[in-house]
Amino acid sequence: MSTLRSRNESAWLLPAGPGSNLLLREDMRRFRHEEEVDIVIVGCGAGGATLLQRLSRAGWRAVALEAGPFWEPEQDWVSDEAGSHHLYWTEPRVITGKDPVPLGSNNSGRGVGGSMVHFAGYTPRFHPSDFRTWSEDGVGADWPLEYAELREFYEDIEGELPVAGEHWPWGDPHSYPHRPHPVSGNGELFLRGANACGITARVGPVAIANGRFGNRPHCIYRGFCLQGCKVNAKASPLITHVPDALAHGAEIRADSMATRVGFDEHTGLATGVEYVHGGLRRFQRARMVAVAGYSIETPRLLLNSTSPRFPDGMCNDFDQVGRYLMVQGAPQTAGRFQAEVRMWKAPPPEVSTEEFYETDPGKPYKRGFSIQTVSPLPITWAEHVAAQGHWGPALRRHMSDYPHWACLGALCEFLPLAGNRVTLAEETDRNGIPVACFTYSQCDNDRRLMSAAQKVMEQILTAAGAEEVITINRYAHLVGGARMAAGERDGVVDRNLRSFAVPNLLVTDGSVLPTQGSANPALTIMALAARAARVLIRGARKGAPASEKED
């Protein structure tokens, strides 16, 4: 624990109870706009906050720009689905394609902490095979780095969140720093059905401490993880990395919407970031820039940052910005049981299996899927029921029966396709900036995975004793749009997340992922950002520009 605390003291900087350390915000260092800071980071979610914390602890003068507010958990978050929409990114966007993906609560966020404020807390690692899907399976793309190069960063972040769960037998087998949480009724049924089907399942991993952690309290199992954890038991960068960053001299400017990355035509370097705060346009000068606005807003910002050098958008010499955007197929299958289940009384993702994660040569599709408990709350559950055609009296009957239902969700690895991309729409936002247009279409492999996952979930619930099963198709977890590659013709950034076109510009969010696996991406995004920070810090210590150093 002493080693953990020496690299990130956030859990001990929080008050011994709900809320946050307001003194850290009041006493936060503030830089002048005309002062050239070491780095300005766009976005303060999983990737941005991790990078901010690592660099500020190393003595960098770092500023983060966040489009949303600086949340105060006890005051701003409520145990209510309808009252939590302010946590989501609801600015205008255009969606199109053969299979348009709704954008909102399950794949975007606003405010310090990003979408991890309202993520379910599920934090599995990617598998070694995820880093070489082209070589092993002939689909997707190979990453320009190996799983082994992320292992220590996975371990570090798992300790800092922290993560609780049983020993994990899949991918690179490993254990977690905290024991698993008690199993809920939903989890018990998953374990029962999986065992009957001969499927291995495990409890965890969730980024919720099993017991007190620093000044953070134990989970109270209120079931509203997706609405922001009022008691600070569930991890999000707002409580896991921001306090330590502020304590080490970082500045976070909330309610500051980035509109353009500055560029010097003579040096070929980024010069800072233009943003809007309080209706006024401002510009923060910086020696380096990191963009961490996630898979829609990061490509949008780069595409809007045009100049004589980049007439089609910054870093877009080879038309790679915005391409290969991915979602995961996330069907949810529910089963009705005679006894009450009360599936909401636990963290939503509590029990999981990754037995179907890798490519099975005997199946008519490549790659695979994972399955986990999901436990939708009443409004989301009503959407499930209404999707089956139930309305009026039939819908009311199903809603009154809510305590008797259990629900599982799958994450299917949809493949990266060049045509699935972000471009700029003709429509503009309140700042006069073109909004993002997200075009998405599935391929046959994607559809086969969705169907296969549904069948397995139905088998598990039926084996557990379900009298009836229903399924709704959903999508989650945006990644891609500024992907990592070995060369500039195939991607936007290199293995250290540095852009090919602008040496002092990095991208440190989920948009850099070449493939997405069947795992929730938050842990991998944080691990990649921590690795990128180490490369920058070591480069600076060697006395050379960080952009010129390799790890």
Side-chain angles (χ1 to χ4, degrees):
M1 190 64 70
S2 60
T3 301
L4 189 160
R5 188 169 179 177
S6 68
R7 71 171 182 267
N8 184 351
E9 206 169 6
S10 290
W12 292 267
L13 291 168
L14 292 168
S20 58
N21 189 334
L22 295 178
L23 283 177
L24 283 175
R25 300 188 197 178
E26 294 171 3
D27 297 337
M28 177 174 62
R29 183 175 182 180
R30 287 171 171 82
F31 297 93
R32 301 187 313 275
H33 290 91
E34 63 273 17
E35 180 181 359
E36 186 182 63
V37 297
D38 292 319
I39 191 166
V40 59
I41 302 168
V42 179
C44 204
T50 303
L51 184 69
L52 181 73
Q53 184 265 333
R54 291 303 202 259
L55 294 182
S56 60
R57 180 171 271 271
W60 286 47
R61 296 171 302 149
V63 174
L65 305 174
E66 169 55 51
F70 217 135
W71 298 116
E72 173 50 39
E74 196 169 21
Q75 298 175 10
D76 297 331
W77 301 343
V78 294
S79 298
D80 180 272
E81 287 177 273
S84 300
H85 286 279
H86 60 292
L87 299 178
Y88 314 142
W89 189 285
T90 55
E91 294 292 317
R93 289 163 169 171
V94 177
I95 58 172
T96 184
K98 294 181 180 178
D99 304 284
V101 175
L103 299 176
S105 61
N106 73 332
N107 51 27
S108 62
R110 63 185 289 270
V112 177
S115 59
M116 284 184 70
V117 161
H118 61 84
F119 89 139
Y122 196 59
T123 46
R125 299 183 188 182
F126 277 26
H127 288 203
S129 67
D130 288 318
F131 294 75
R132 48 178 187 269
T133 63
W134 178 255
S135 295
E136 292 193 1
D137 301 308
V139 295
D142 288 347
W143 293 40
L145 54 83
E146 296 290 333
Y147 168 88
E149 297 176 79
L150 273 191
R151 183 185 289 113
E152 67 173 296
F153 300 100
Y154 275 138
E155 293 171 352
D156 284 351
I157 298 298
E158 286 165 350
E160 293 168 40
L161 293 177
V163 178
E166 290 187 290
H167 178 79
W168 214 244
W170 300 286
D172 174 28
H174 57 280
S175 297
Y176 291 103
H178 284 237
R179 291 175 296 175
H181 286 264
V183 178
S184 67
N186 200 15
E188 287 179 356
L189 291 172
F190 187 177
L191 291 170
R192 181 199 305 172
N195 183 62
C197 294
I199 297 170
T200 300
R202 289 288 185 269
V203 183
V206 292
I208 304 171
N210 190 350
R212 181 168 289 277
F213 178 67
N215 289 331
R216 287 168 53 192
H218 193 288
C219 177
I220 60 174
Y221 306 112
R222 55 193 273 274
F224 285 89
C225 301
L226 301 178
Q227 287 68 43
C229 181
K230 289 179 70 71
V231 300
N232 289 340
K234 187 194 78 173
S236 79
L238 178 66
I239 61 168
T240 62
H241 288 78
V242 164
D244 192 74
L246 296 181
H248 286 86
E251 180 185 0
I252 297 175
R253 296 179 191 162
D255 301 306
S256 298
M257 177 66 186
T259 56
R260 182 181 63 86
V261 176
F263 181 74
D264 188 318
E265 297 286 338
H266 299 291
T267 65
L269 299 176
T271 57
V273 176
E274 178 187 271
Y275 66 100
V276 177
H277 176 79
L280 300 176
R281 288 191 183 274
R282 307 174 188 271
F283 187 84
Q284 177 59 57
R285 297 179 62 232
R287 182 174 61 86
M288 299 190 73
V289 172
V291 182
Y294 212 23
S295 290
I296 300 294
E297 293 303 313
T298 285
R300 179 194 178 200
L301 178 62
L302 294 176
L303 292 172
N304 273 313
S305 299
T306 57
S307 66
R309 167 67 180 85
F310 296 110
D312 299 315
M314 187 169 285
C315 306
N316 201 28
D317 291 335
F318 298 97
D319 194 25
Q320 290 294 311
V321 173
R323 289 195 181 275
Y324 299 102
L325 206 73
M326 293 166 277
V327 297
Q328 286 170 325
Q332 293 185 359
T333 298
R336 201 271 182 193
F337 291 83
Q338 186 65 37
E340 288 194 355
V341 179
R342 301 179 185 178
M343 61 179 169
W344 66 87
K345 295 296 292 180
E350 191 184 28
V351 177
S352 180
T353 181
E354 292 183 352
E355 193 156 312
F356 307 94
Y357 195 107
E358 320 286 349
T359 294
D360 182 343
K363 302 295 184 182
Y365 50 79
K366 300 290 187 180
R367 302 304 294 162
F369 54 89
S370 62
I371 299 173
Q372 58 193 245
T373 54
V374 289
S375 308
L377 292 171
I379 292 177
T380 308
W381 176 243
E383 295 172 356
H384 283 57
V385 176
Q388 313 304 313
H390 300 298
W391 199 248
L395 176 59
R396 289 195 295 272
R397 283 195 298 272
H398 274 82
M399 292 307 297
S400 65
D401 208 30
Y402 173 60
H404 290 269
W405 287 81
C407 194
L408 307 180
L411 292 179
C412 304
E413 182 178 352
F414 282 8
L415 298 177
L417 305 174
N420 290 338
R421 65 183 304 187
V422 168
T423 54
L424 297 180
E426 293 183 4
E427 181 182 352
T428 58
D429 66 9
R430 67 180 96 177
N431 299 308
I433 307 300
V435 304
C437 176
F438 177 29
T439 303
Y440 197 87
S441 301
Q442 296 176 24
C443 65
D444 289 341
N445 198 81
D446 299 340
R447 296 185 180 90
R448 294 189 186 106
L449 279 175
M450 290 278 278
S451 177
Q454 177 179 339
K455 290 178 182 177
V456 172
M457 290 189 291
E458 290 175 349
Q459 291 170 358
I460 291 172
L461 289 169
T462 300
E467 304 167 336
E468 175 188 355
V469 293
I470 60 175
T471 295
I472 184 173
N473 287 333
R474 297 173 64 258
Y475 308 93
H477 302 139
L478 295 164
V479 298
R483 71 172 178 173
M484 245 191 293
E488 62 184 359
R489 293 182 178 275
D490 300 310
V492 178
V493 300
D494 66 12
R495 66 197 309 272
N496 298 321
L497 310 190
R498 179 190 64 187
S499 70
F500 291 110
V502 182
N504 67 335
L505 174 70
L506 290 88
V507 179
T508 57
D509 58 25
S511 65
V512 303
L513 273 59
T515 58
Q516 62 170 341
S518 298
N520 307 55
L523 182 71
T524 297
I525 294 169
M526 298 180 85
L528 286 168
R531 180 181 179 277
R534 177 181 291 182
V535 173
L536 293 177
I537 294 166
R538 286 181 173 177
R541 286 174 181 167
K542 292 174 183 176
S547 60
E548 296 178 4
K549 291 292 180 180
E550 299 294 332
D551 57 329

